[in-house]
Amino acid sequence: MRRLAFISALLPRAAAFAPTGGVAASVRYLRAGAIASAAPDVDRYYTKEREPETRDFIMQQTMLRVKDPAASLAFYCDVLGFNLVTHREFEQWGFNVYFVAPVDPASIPSDPEERFARFCMRTPGCIELTWNYGSEGETGPVYNVGNGDATGTKDGEAVRGGFGHLGITVPDVYDACARFAELGCEFTKTPNSGGIKGLAFFKDPDGYLIEVLPQGSLVTKPVDHAGIPVEGGGYVDNSKKK
């Protein structure tokens, strides 16, 4: 209520500066201004020197809990083209971990300890797939994947999870997505649907989103693999409504 009253009080002043379009346009104008004022000044982060203590640090992994390791390994290795770089079994604690990454398989050491300590721990961008024993036998989704998911909540209501997605880049988004579709992947956004054209989102076996981006600028094609034309895709830009 306080927020609504605050916005209402500012509307007459905003009308003098905001584009025409009535109250709705003025509210959008105020909201955009509030977001802009809250955004941090990022310039120094582009040019700052790394602290000496951190210069050898590596962004090495993101961990995902998975229901069925066989399904997840098949997806990340066969569909995305990654390789298993190491794995560990912790029977005493009831879970296994599998590290996957897009690497040359010839570079992966044959010795298990070398694979873990020398290779995996020095490879940036690994995904650690963690399997807790028994989850593969459960019915339906097991883990909340963020993005307004209700999985695991006590009241069945969706929660505002912090996790968003993983992302890969490919030479041609449209060709890659056509292949993913042929392999049975479920898309939440094809390259030509939604507001931003030339990128896509699809799900891994647990429902975690994978974003597909080009290795360069966004480019578009007239029709994507789902038959959606670049002009349209069922998207309505509410920010331009008057």
Side-chain angles (χ1 to χ4, degrees), residues 117-159:
R118 184 177 66 82
F119 188 76
C120 180
M121 292 296 104
R122 299 180 185 181
T123 299
C126 292
I127 300 173
E128 178 188 4
L129 305 172
T130 297
W131 167 48
N132 293 95
Y133 300 168
S135 60
E136 73 283 0
E138 296 185 40
T139 301
V142 173
Y143 298 113
N144 191 295
V145 298
N147 302 301
D149 188 5
T151 303
T153 61
K154 293 182 179 180
D155 58 5
E157 295 293 327
V159 295

Side-chain angles (χ1 to χ4, degrees), residues 14-126:
F17 303 99
T20 59
V23 172
S26 296
V27 170
R28 288 193 296 273
Y29 175 79
L30 285 171
R31 183 179 295 131
I35 292 172
S37 65
D41 181 0
V42 301
D43 288 347
R44 80 174 186 88
Y45 299 111
Y46 283 105
T47 58
K48 67 175 289 293
E49 294 290 332
R50 292 185 71 173
E51 288 71 16
E53 299 87 351
T54 70
R55 286 178 182 169
D56 293 325
F57 290 6
I58 295 172
M59 175 55 210
Q60 190 272 330
Q61 65 179 265
T62 295
M63 188 275 266
L64 300 177
R65 290 185 174 86
V66 300
K67 175 181 178 178
D68 183 344
S72 293
L73 285 169
F75 173 82
Y76 284 96
C77 295
D78 296 334
V79 177
L80 294 191
F82 295 0
N83 277 85
L84 180 66
V85 298
T86 194
H87 78 286
R88 292 290 178 95
E89 298 177 353
F90 299 98
E91 294 184 6
Q92 68 272 37
W93 294 307
F95 72 93
N96 292 359
V97 296
Y98 307 87
F99 289 82
V100 297
V103 299
D104 178 358
S107 66
I108 303 173
S110 58
D111 178 74
E113 187 56 34
E114 284 286 292
R115 282 199 301 257
F116 176 78
R118 184 177 66 82
F119 188 76
C120 180
M121 292 296 104
R122 299 180 185 181
T123 299
C126 292

Side-chain angles (χ1 to χ4, degrees), residues 1-29:
M1 292 299 292
R2 290 182 179 179
R3 182 180 179 185
L4 180 60
F6 173 74
I7 291 176
S8 298
L10 287 180
L11 283 178
R13 299 182 184 180
F17 303 99
T20 59
V23 172
S26 296
V27 170
R28 288 193 296 273
Y29 175 79

